[in-house]
Amino acid sequence: MSQAPANGIQLEYDTFGNAANPPLLLVMGLGAQMIAWDEEFCALLAAAGHYVVRFDNRDVGLSTKIESGGVPNVPAMLEARLKGESISAPYLLADMAADAVGLLDALGIDRAHIAGASMGGMIVQEMAVRHAGRVLTMTSIMSTTGAPDLPPAKPEAMAALATPAPADRDAFIANAVKTSKAIGSAPYLIDEERLQRNAARRFDRSYYPAGMARQMAAIMASGSRREALGAVRMPVTVIHGAIDPLVPVEGGIDTHKSIPGSELVIIDDMGHDTPKPLWGQITAAITATTARVPA
């Protein structure tokens, strides 16, 4: 793993595959480190002919922490959002999109295929809108336009996400497993030992809940992308789980409807995660998207 300067900060990243192949930038979601893109998953994409780049967003993992932003009062922001009041944040999703473009600059990549999950899907949408000249194709996974009229998360899913991450390692792992079960693909959550191992790895690599709060503030303060997405013209695929309790499938459908010519892939037994049994479907959809641009 390495670090690169990007948009005035440092981003931790690593790569898979042949650098001569078309680049594919993977962008992860809220509070999630780049290791949430499993190495085996990245290897599948590399084997399909991509030069895969994954990275830690600002405020998570080993990338720069925006400590000057303080710790936002997320419950108060949620209340303000429900009332339709304006929300301020230390940074916006547009800044995180500029971070990703800065990483491409640092790596000498002119244009890349981009794929993002959850908040990462929001970030790649911002990239497609604001930095279209740097994007070959875009895949938005289990994400949304952010339009306020879309269905909210299921109460139990939002409650699990809103529970502060414990500072004690064992409690953190137990809470992470509970959250995975609350928001994930229920048919595939039988391997509790794998969930525990992944949670332990996240804790040991970087425990930084303040960053997740600032990222949540960025999501809420960034508003809707629905109208702006109407100008996107590169090949786009939207992937969403039919049983997603955190970002309901209507968010994916709205993203698809907002982007002319986009493809929609709904996976019946997928929640708000990317479990190993679904990697084949997800990587096939990404690869089909990147193939729409001649090498």
Side-chain angles (χ1 to χ4, degrees):
M1 298 182 185
S2 305
Q3 287 210 339
N7 193 28
I9 61 175
Q10 293 289 125
L11 296 181
E12 183 79 8
Y13 75 95
D14 66 359
T15 63
F16 300 79
N18 189 336
N21 288 338
L24 170 60
L25 183 72
L26 301 179
V27 188
M28 195 26 82
L30 175 67
Q33 302 174 50
M34 69 179 185
I35 56 175
W37 296 112
D38 192 280
E39 284 85 353
E40 293 180 50
F41 179 87
C42 294
L44 287 174
L45 289 168
H50 304 101
Y51 178 54
V52 178
V53 181
R54 63 176 185 172
F55 70 101
D56 285 328
N57 284 307
R58 62 167 65 194
D59 258 340
V60 298
L62 306 182
S63 289
T64 297
K65 310 301 189 297
I66 314 300
E67 295 179 349
S68 61
V71 182
N73 185 332
V74 173
M77 296 183 76
L78 285 168
E79 185 176 348
R81 189 183 190 191
L82 290 173
K83 293 179 180 179
E85 298 173 357
S86 61
I87 296 171
S88 61
Y91 52 83
L92 301 175
L93 293 174
D95 299 303
M96 302 181 79
D99 295 347
V101 172
L103 178 59
L104 296 181
D105 290 340
L107 297 180
I109 296 172
D110 180 45
R111 301 180 73 197
H113 303 284
I114 57 177
S118 195
M119 182 189 72
M122 304 174 196
I123 293 170
V124 297
Q125 290 173 27
E126 292 278 1
M127 292 176 71
V129 168
R130 298 173 182 272
H131 307 278
R134 307 299 300 277
V135 179
L136 292 168
T137 68
M138 187 261 282
T139 304
S140 178
I141 306 169
M142 57 188 183
S143 195
T144 175
T145 62
D149 57 345
L150 290 170
K154 299 293 188 292
E156 60 274 16
M158 181 55 73
L161 193 69
T163 301
D168 174 78
R169 187 177 187 271
D170 289 342
F172 176 92
I173 293 169
N175 182 70
V177 171
K178 180 180 178 181
T179 299
S180 294
K181 291 180 177 179
I183 69 175
S185 304
Y188 304 111
L189 292 174
I190 56 175
D191 190 350
E192 187 156 327
E193 288 187 5
R194 181 183 177 88
L195 294 175
Q196 291 172 340
R197 287 196 305 270
N198 288 343
R201 187 180 178 200
R202 297 201 312 268
F203 183 91
D204 293 341
R205 186 171 183 266
S206 175
Y207 171 78
Y208 192 67
M212 182 172 175
R214 288 193 287 268
Q215 289 184 351
M216 178 72 83
I219 293 172
M220 289 189 285
S222 292
S224 173
R225 292 167 296 284
R226 180 186 282 163
E227 183 176 352
L229 288 169
V232 171
R233 291 295 181 269
M234 76 276 295
V236 171
T237 295
V238 177
I239 303 172
H240 216 104
I243 58 172
D244 190 330
L246 186 63
V247 181
V249 68
E250 288 85 356
I253 293 170
D254 191 53
T255 305
H256 162 60
K257 288 182 176 179
S258 299
I259 303 175
S262 64
E263 302 285 341
L264 176 64
V265 176
I266 295 179
I267 301 177
D268 290 340
D269 46 0
M270 176 177 165
H272 199 77
D273 60 352
T274 55
K276 189 171 184 177
L278 298 181
W279 287 356
Q281 293 180 66
I282 296 168
T283 57
I286 294 172
T287 300
T289 308
T290 63
R292 292 167 65 186
V293 173

